[in-house]
Amino acid sequence: MKNIFLLLLLLATIVVRAQYFETGQDPASLKWRQINTTNFQLIYPDYYEDQAQVLAQKLELVYDFGSYTLNHKPKKISVILHTQTVHSNGLVAYAPKRSEFYTTPHQGIYPQDWLEQLALHEFRHVVQIDKLNADLPDLIKILLGEQGTALLFGAYLPWWFIEGDAVVTETALGKFGRGRFPSFLVEHRAQLVDNKIFSYDKAYLGSFKDYVPNHYQLGYYLVANSRERYGTDIWEKALERVGTKPFSITPFNKAVKLETGFGKVQLYESIFDSLAIEWKKADKQFEEIPLTQLSKDNKTYTNYLYKNWLNDNELVVYKTGLDVVPAFVKMNKQTGDETKLITPGSVFEESINFSGEWIVWAEKVPDVRWTHSGISRIRIFNANTKKMYTVAPEFKAFAPVLSPNLKEVAVVETNFTNANYLTVYDITSGKMKYRYQTEENNYLFSPVWLNNHEIIFAFLDENGKRIAKVDLQTNEQTILPGTELGEIKQLKIFDDQLYFISSYSGKNSLYVYDLTSSEIKQIYEPRFDAAYPAIQESGLIALSDYTGDGFRIIEFQPENTIPINNVTPASWPLANSMQQQEPGIVDFTSVDTTKQFSSQSYSKPRHLFNFHSWAPVFVDPDTYEFLPGVSLMSQNKLGTALTTLGYKWDTSQKTGHFYGKYSYKGWFPVFDFEVSGGKRASQYWLIKEYRDQGDQVVRRDTTLENYKWNETSLNANVRLPFNLSHGAYLRFLQPEVDYQMAHYGKEKSTPDEFNEGNYHSLSYRLYYYQLLRKSHQDIYPNFGFVVEGNIRHSPWQPDEMGNLYAAATNVYLPGFLKNHGVRLYGGIQERTSGKLFGFSDAVRFPRGWTKIDTEEMSSLSLNYALPLINPDLSIAGITYIRRISATLYADYANLKGNYHGGDVLAKFNTNISSYGVELLGDVNFFRFYAPVKIGVRTSYLKELEDISFDFLLSVDFNSL
């Protein structure tokens, strides 16, 4: 019973997240079709028919391979294809059950087709969660539906296992995969060699003090090394135990211990202790060439990435880090001093280039309304004059590069049907001048201009990446011989030499290709990783060189180059070991592209409801309210319609309410409808008088009487969410209108003076924010503001309901030290209460004070937030504290209103204030991945000369 109770407690903390995991919406104009195969339902825009047909075959091809080492064949699943997004991603969710593919490839992919990568990786997640579902006791599925499986999957399985197992699968079933990708593998290696092994909690849950590689990388090492040590079936048994023993609270850890003799913490320590010994031994054999470090050492993890020489003494560099917002800086190589030039928006991966003093990059611009849509913008910025130009490409564009005459820009483009192009645009007019597509529609990478009419680029085919040249005048493509070198990226031209980064040796190293002789040489092999070369006229090279503290900038003159034939190719022993445990490599070239599945239209109106989960409690996902009752949840597969139905029992009033909410997000406006109905209960004081025969009062008794009434409420809301983000700022605008109706009806016990009837109100709200993007360590944005206006009234019953007018703003400013922040708040409100009801406040009261009725209120607040300590402290696996921060605040308000009671109407005009501190901890409990902010607020109420305390708690489910 104790274990069941703890499981229900866990349900009460995270079931809200499981109910509605919707990733956003596609444009309303799209028409959808579907293909149903034996094991998959593909749902896709109608123009994506040919691509969906091929992907359906590839998914069926993956089915037997991807399920082999978990010994489970999953049931049929829906796969929704988002074709217009500027993001590249994939996911599997189980409430409702589906997978989502973001079909746009990106410049950072390993040498395999993007959709094949998604098929291998995401299908493994399908196997994981379906195996868990198959092993679960029927009781859980009967009580909770699909969200029961989603709940246990997210609560019991660490994310390092979920993602690490999928990375192992993509690596073992293909020729490449991230297990053969140096930039994926290097961060743990550098951390262990240069710094130390982090605690398990820190390695898994992260840190504000140090950079921690993500759970994909952690998971690959743990899952793969465990399979190599203890056998292929170790994770099959772990999943089976979680499914068959869900009430044991720690079934995954128990299964790991049964198979390995270690709990997951000890397993982590054992594996990484062994890796540290191996990596440190190899590091002692590394001989570094003579070089100079140009960048200063930083106190926190910092990366100096894309770069270019402005002159012999200055570079322009793209800088990122834990405590900085990514920006372009000008660096003096003699002193290491930096001057910030510009903070760009969200930059596509591997999409920054230079030409002299000009910087060019491709920036993501989200769609104003649709999450699964967006555009690319090419930004061209002069580091000296600060002039900015913008080119609007036709399709999603990446890896821009300026022509030698600075009149044109070449980009890699991908359209909505995954047609891949090399396109040249005129900078002044923005018009397309040239477009090239390979015969096989290969995806292209890292173009560079050889001269004004030839471009060199890397391209991807079924054998990996190679390098080719195209003549823009003749459309003739030439493949450069000998360039089958694994990962290839960051091409640079200097004289007749082509410089590039390749993973050929097992590390990302710098190579040069002689365009005259076709000779390839290795120029620099790093200790860990190298990237983003910049070549001076003298031949001096600046390079990003990875360390345990991030990418530094080094400078060297190439001398002892090594011919490619003398470079030992990478062997990838761990990846090869994983491959030997599989039935083979998935041969995607065997797919018959002429084969056609039957396809049908997918009707949006007929698929508005998809009831997937329920619960023996009432759960309100908006308020996190849990009450006795029942809940029934629906979310359609396109994520446009969400429904909650239920019955809740109020234990204090001993009354029940029926409840329903429906949200529709498939049109440009978002519509929310909410209705509830049932009985309500309360109490009132009744004075009973007892009289004698002379009608004189001889005794009075005051009794507390119970009464009930019937209440039905309806709420309808329409809002227009505009995402206006671009550049360095996040921008959002939302106007909305809200209609509320309440009907109150009497019962026998209802007192006569109870106000029955129908009451209507309208609310109008305008909300806007513009906030500078934050660094990882920032508490507040360094700059920005939020403004909000509210009007609430009842046009049909002004006397009964009253009205309210309010406006408020937050302004964010930097503090005295880095990562400190200031937030200023100001609000003003006018309100008239009706005879029967009044609207609630829209402006903040000073903290610690109990709200009172006012007619006018003005409010001011000053907050100064600062991090105190980043302890990275784990306490017995129960609590992991990443950061403790403080906010010092002062609140003030002027209140005006009427005193109630008495024979003479009296008004008040008073000031109230509070001063205090909030102490907050960024904490993870029970190694659950979603972080929690928990703390206490102490307030001194000056006018009352009193001190109050408040408990603070919030959970960030967006991290899941």
Side-chain angles (χ1 to χ4, degrees), residues 360-520:
V360 58
W361 68 89
E363 191 170 294
K364 302 176 187 178
V365 179
D367 187 87
V368 170
R369 169 62 180 89
W370 307 110
T371 311
H372 298 316
S373 186
I375 57 176
S376 303
R377 286 292 178 263
I378 307 303
R379 312 292 189 195
I380 305 169
F381 178 79
N382 190 291
N384 291 329
T385 66
K386 308 299 190 295
K387 287 185 178 179
M388 173 82 84
Y389 299 90
T390 296
V391 175
E394 182 179 0
F395 303 125
K396 292 167 282 189
F398 320 92
V401 58
L402 295 170
S403 63
N405 60 15
L406 301 178
K407 293 182 179 180
E408 298 160 344
V409 60
V411 299
V412 173
E413 281 190 308
T414 300
N415 70 6
F416 295 158
T417 61
N418 283 74
N420 304 309
Y421 304 106
L422 176 67
T423 307
V424 176
Y425 288 95
D426 180 81
I427 293 174
T428 304
S429 66
K431 293 182 179 179
M432 184 186 72
K433 295 187 66 176
Y434 173 86
R435 177 165 282 161
Y436 171 72
Q437 184 180 28
T438 67
E439 291 183 3
E440 301 298 325
N441 187 37
N442 305 98
Y443 188 63
L444 312 178
F445 303 84
S446 190
V448 289
W449 293 81
L450 180 59
N451 49 55
N452 284 323
H453 64 89
E454 289 182 302
I455 294 177
I456 294 178
F457 55 86
F459 71 94
L460 176 65
D461 63 16
E462 65 272 11
N463 296 312
K465 293 181 181 179
R466 289 188 284 171
I467 301 176
K469 176 177 65 175
V470 64
D471 189 314
L472 306 185
Q473 296 175 344
T474 65
N475 227 34
E476 182 180 352
Q477 175 180 298
T478 304
I479 296 176
L480 304 190
T483 56
E484 301 87 353
L485 300 172
E487 167 65 356
I488 299 172
K489 59 184 179 180
Q490 298 159 20
L491 279 58
K492 296 289 180 184
I493 292 284
F494 181 74
D495 289 339
D496 288 329
Q497 307 290 311
L498 173 67
Y499 295 82
F500 61 93
I501 299 293
S502 171
S503 65
Y504 179 74
S505 69
K507 295 180 180 180
N508 283 329
S509 304
L510 180 62
Y511 295 81
V512 63
Y513 184 100
D514 190 303
L515 295 170
T516 303
S517 66
S518 299
E519 184 181 14
I520 304 174

Side-chain angles (χ1 to χ4, degrees), residues 655-674:
T655 58
H657 262 194
F658 289 98
Y659 174 87
K661 183 175 182 179
Y662 180 77
S663 296
Y664 186 71
K665 303 180 180 182
W667 294 334
F668 202 95
V670 176
F671 296 92
D672 294 313
F673 302 95
E674 187 174 354

Side-chain angles (χ1 to χ4, degrees), residues 736 763-766 788-792 804-808 842-843:
E736 63 179 277
S763 299
Y764 316 92
R765 179 174 180 259
L766 183 65
E788 179 179 358
N790 282 276
I791 298 175
R792 302 172 188 169
L804 178 141
Y805 306 92
V843 171

